[in-house]
Amino acid sequence: MNQSHAFVAHKFGGSSMRDAERIAQVAAILAARPDERQVVVVSAMQGVTDALIDLANSAAARSKQWREALSHLRERHLAAALALLGARAETTVEWLEQEFADLAEVLHALALLGTPSREALDLVQGLGEVWSSRLLAEHFLVRGDGAVWCDAREVLRVRAEELGVMVDWAQSQAQFDTFRARQPSARYVVTGFVARDGEGRATTLGRNGSDYSGAIFGALAEAAEVHIWTDVDGVYSADPRAVPEAVLIPELSYHEACELAYFGAKVIHPQTMAPAIERNI
Ligand code: ADP
Ligand code: ASP
Ligand code: MG
């Protein structure tokens, strides 16, 4: 990979990050594109965000099941770490164990309080992206390919407004530039979905928000293109799962893509287009 090449942003969702095999495939797809610098934004492993939200709610409801559900989630991530990192898994396994120990404490506190606070829910539901992105970044290193892990909570500043989560571009750009200056790389693997608010608390961009993260980090890296990889061949005239006769749309204007997303097509998060339109990505 050449430092002089332009950045291309790639976003891989939960379907592409489902298990170790899929994560390895993501790395292989990206490594096969040597003529670009990459900012790679990823979602949690499929189903993990739902599982984390359920965990927070069931702990707060003092249901007995949360410890078992937590240990299932922990095992899933440890198994993925071992499969992806083999003999070099030790540090990541230790890190994951600490992450899950911290999460257990948060959930225990929720059980004592008997209510899931907004702040706790925001923190907990974004952890899947933190884990999956770190696994992918470490897997690149095991393959002998360069990558630097970027926890978006250290870069991205946002505020919740009536129309959705808005980016503090000046602060986010300054933090991303500082991050890159400290850790220069031709490939950054970034946590989708998560950010920090003006008070420094962990927050998220809303369900399905990793698409938006992909566009935001594309803009921050001054990428010419944002690629959203998923489990369908492209944007269809309707959800192909619900409407088998839906047809693939070869090309869409920004405006058409916005409308589709706005009216609920899960294939793109509604705010994804804004950074792309502003910067002609
Ligand atoms: P990812 O995990 O990659 O983010 P999502 O499940 O969030 O994937 O989004 C992809 C899904 O969006 C597809 O599997 C499809 O069922 C659904 N979808 C809804 N509307 C559309 C559409 N108009 N075109 C394509 N896919 C759509
Ligand atoms: N993991 C988050 C969700 O399930 C964000 C995303 O996948 O885009 O909503
Ligand atoms: Mg999605």
Side-chain angles (χ1 to χ4, degrees), residues 11 13-15 208 230-231 234-236 238-241 260 265-267:
K11 179 263 172 176
S15 48
N208 234 356
T230 186
D231 59 355
V235 178
Y236 283 77
D239 185 344
R241 271 182 226 274
L260 247 144
K266 194 188 171 203
V267 72

Side-chain angles (χ1 to χ4, degrees), residues 177-205:
D177 293 347
T178 306
F179 184 91
R180 276 180 57 188
R182 284 200 191 126
Q183 297 189 76
S185 177
R187 179 182 291 119
Y188 295 95
V189 178
V190 182
T191 52
F193 191 42
V194 295
R196 250 178 235 289
D197 67 15
E199 272 80 55
R201 277 195 292 259
T203 187
T204 72
L205 306 183

Side-chain angles (χ1 to χ4, degrees), residues 11-15 43 207-211 228-230 266-269:
K11 179 263 172 176
F12 288 86
S15 48
S43 296
R207 292 310 307 269
N208 234 356
S210 296
D211 296 336
I228 296 184
W229 299 74
T230 186
K266 194 188 171 203
V267 72
I268 334 172
H269 179 279

